[in-house]
Amino acid sequence: MAVGFDDGRRWNDGGRVTAFVVLSCLTAAMGGAIFGYDISTAGGVSSMEPFLREFFPDVLRRMTGGGGGARHVSNYCKFDSQLLTLFTSSLYISGLLTAMLLASWVTASRGRRPSMVLGGVAYLGGAAVSGAAVNVSMAILGRVLLGVGLGFTTQSVPLYMAEMAPARYRGAFSNGIQFSLCLGALAATTVNFGVEKIRGGWGWRLSLALAGVPAMFLTVGAIFLPETPNSLVQQGKDRDTVRALLRKIRGVDAVDDELDDIVTANTVAQGENGWWLILSQRRYRPQLVMAVLIPAFTQLTGINVIGVYAPLLLRTIGMGESASLLATVIMVIVSSAATFISMFLVDRFGRRTLLLGGGVQMLVSEVLIGGIMAAKLGDEGGLSKAYALVLIFLICVYSTGFGWSWGPLSWLVPSEILPLEVRSAGLSIAVASSFLFTVFIAQSFLAMLCRMKAWIFIFFAGWIAVMTAFVYLFLPETKEMPIEQVRRVWEEHWFWRRIAETDETHASAKLSK
């Protein structure tokens, strides 16, 4: 039993889902919607000929087979351009630097809400610059500003949702981030499909600029959001103020047990540097490992290949511009539905069950996708209509598997396993890991596709096998555990308990002072 933390789950079922919490979390989830919109917009406009003609004419010539022997370029190499991938990955490079250098400090010292406001303002600036871009440098600058917003919101929104939600519904609320991301992606793919038909070739500008709509909702809404009780305690607010907020959030008067756990967690954290603790102290090794590997594994599923480059991938197999965008809309709808379902499953069946089941589903579909492309798609020509439909179906199966497992849980697991004293620093590490591997995949995928061809999908399938085994062996279940008591699960795990035992000694020493 963790010293200083209440034994049992006395307030686990004490709160209810109030309208106040729902409205607060819906507003915060706009951060996920903008992320999803930006991911899908980049891939969509990168497949539009007017956009390529404006900024990437060499790619367009290879795609259309025009001039200079480009007609002999392999199907797998038509979009192999480091400048084009820099346009995509600049978002994640900027997000990585922002999360590491600034967003963590703001979120921990000033609160989750100011971090969301700053993220929304940066998103607005990025949308304006992107829509008005007149050259490649300006287009990339717009992506960099969007990345600054992404760095702030991916740091603050998961923490906000995890700390505001009642313990027994924390999984559903946190999965709402991924669902809002899917809705943002659906909006982007639908907009891409519509603006592609605009005569005059300026539709891509509208697609990029409309990212400002959810950014405006986030910015204005976040100004009026309450801060989380955990953050208020961390900032030294008096107990009565925090108790009043907890009562409003939970809809019940009996909140002292939850408040005691938050205060105790903050007492343990007093005078400690979260970055120093999580990086140097052995007792935080389980949380550090998960903060690094869960986001990294999520990117190594190959999901950004589908999310960012789906239209380009579909054009690679021979589909036209409009057809590839329409097929992408269908795939995003399927993925969104799976994520919505996961909101009702995660707190019933647990995190491990969903991660393991989704891993098997993605593994099988990736192997089949790679096998069909290896057997049926050569360097020239395209797939038959029948095989193209089978491939789209398998991509939908893959997206569904990701949508109800690793997609939403990659937000939930890092945000709920971190103790208060290292929560902001630990989530910064998780965000940095996610961005680092996203940059690697986004920047290298088109080159890897050109060189590895269909075998790239077998490459991702191998990583899915590794991460599924990792979850089975090393990730404990955390469903329904109050967020400030989640640290107890490591003490009961067959592998981590030898390390977690040192946390007992540390907590006892801190609380006895």
Side-chain angles (χ1 to χ4, degrees), residues 62 71 73 213 217 241 272 325 329 337 374 395 404 463 484:
R62 288 200 302 270
R71 63 177 54 88
V73 174
V213 175
F217 279 111
T241 299
E272 304 278 17
L325 290 173
V329 171
I395 293 175
W404 63 265
W463 279 110
E484 300 304 348

Side-chain angles (χ1 to χ4, degrees), residues 190-212:
T190 304
V191 168
N192 287 339
F193 179 68
V195 302
E196 179 266 332
K197 303 179 184 303
I198 294 178
R199 295 180 179 179
W202 54 269
W204 61 268
R205 293 188 182 276
L206 182 61
S207 182
L208 293 175
L210 283 176

Side-chain angles (χ1 to χ4, degrees), residues 458-479:
I458 307 302
F459 168 80
F460 288 126
W463 279 110
I464 293 172
V466 170
M467 64 198 231
T468 303
F470 176 84
V471 168
Y472 181 79
L473 293 172
F474 298 111
L475 181 67
E477 184 55 68
T478 54
K479 72 171 183 175

Side-chain angles (χ1 to χ4, degrees), residues 67-373:
R71 63 177 54 88
H72 300 301
V73 174
S74 167
N75 276 321
Y76 294 97
C77 300
K78 289 179 179 179
F79 295 94
D80 182 17
S81 165
Q82 287 302 299
L83 188 60
L84 178 59
T85 51
L86 179 61
F87 167 75
T88 299
S89 60
S90 57
L91 173 82
Y92 307 107
I93 296 172
S94 174
L96 169 63
L97 295 176
T98 301
M100 293 293 291
L101 301 178
L102 187 59
S104 174
W105 177 81
V106 172
T107 304
S109 62
R110 296 293 181 263
R112 291 41 165 158
R113 187 174 64 89
S115 187
M116 286 189 280
V117 173
L118 289 173
V121 171
Y123 273 133
L124 285 170
V129 173
S130 296
V134 295
N135 52 46
V136 174
S137 297
M138 193 171 176
I140 292 176
L141 175 61
R143 297 287 288 176
V144 168
L145 289 174
L146 290 170
V148 172
L150 185 60
F152 276 108
T153 55
T154 52
Q155 175 73 29
S156 55
V157 169
L159 282 185
Y160 190 90
M161 303 278 271
E163 291 176 348
M164 289 289 282
R168 58 178 169 168
Y169 299 117
R170 189 174 60 247
F173 273 78
S174 293
N175 279 17
I177 301 173
Q178 180 68 19
F179 182 60
S180 66
L181 188 151
C182 289
L183 293 181
L186 177 59
T189 52
T190 304
V191 168
N192 287 339
F193 179 68
V195 302
E196 179 266 332
K197 303 179 184 303
I198 294 178
R199 295 180 179 179
W202 54 269
W204 61 268
R205 293 188 182 276
L206 182 61
S207 182
L208 293 175
L210 283 176
V213 175
M216 180 63 72
F217 279 111
L218 175 65
T219 306
V220 175
I223 292 173
F224 299 99
L225 286 179
E227 190 53 85
T228 70
N230 311 64
S231 181
L232 291 179
V233 170
Q234 206 170 18
Q235 294 173 51
K237 301 298 181 182
D238 67 88
R239 190 180 177 97
D240 290 338
T241 299
V242 181
R243 182 187 291 110
L245 177 60
L246 268 174
R247 286 173 174 168
K248 188 174 183 181
I249 291 172
R250 301 293 177 237
V252 296
D253 292 330
V255 296
D256 284 340
D257 291 334
E258 179 174 4
L259 181 56
D260 287 343
D261 274 349
I262 296 173
V263 171
T264 300
N266 188 63
T267 301
V268 173
Q270 288 297 315
E272 304 278 17
N273 181 286
W275 281 96
W276 169 255
L277 286 176
I278 196 167
L279 292 176
S280 66
Q281 299 298 305
R282 185 171 182 266
R283 65 181 180 274
Y284 297 111
R285 201 67 72 238
Q287 292 92 337
L288 178 61
V289 169
M290 297 301 166
V292 172
L293 291 185
I294 294 296
F297 282 147
T298 301
Q299 299 310 317
L300 288 170
T301 62
I303 187 57
N304 275 340
V305 172
I306 304 299
V308 177
Y309 293 118
L312 302 186
L313 184 62
L314 294 173
R315 296 208 71 176
T316 294
I317 66 174
M319 297 184 71
E321 180 178 343
S322 183
S324 67
L325 290 173
L326 178 60
T328 304
V329 171
I330 295 171
M331 288 187 289
V332 173
I333 291 174
V334 171
S335 178
S336 300
T339 302
F340 181 73
I341 293 171
S342 77
M343 295 171 65
F344 301 95
L345 299 179
V346 65
D347 290 312
R348 179 181 178 85
F349 296 103
R351 286 65 164 149
R352 282 171 51 86
T353 300
L354 267 61
L355 288 171
L356 293 172
V360 172
Q361 183 173 333
M362 288 189 292
L363 175 61
V364 173
S365 55
E366 285 261 34
V367 170
L368 292 176
I369 290 169
I372 289 175
M373 291 186 68

Side-chain angles (χ1 to χ4, degrees), residues 409-425:
L409 294 177
S410 66
W411 297 90
L412 170 61
V413 172
S415 65
E416 72 176 359
I417 64 170
L418 293 162
L420 183 63
E421 62 268 24
V422 296
R423 190 166 296 153
S424 184

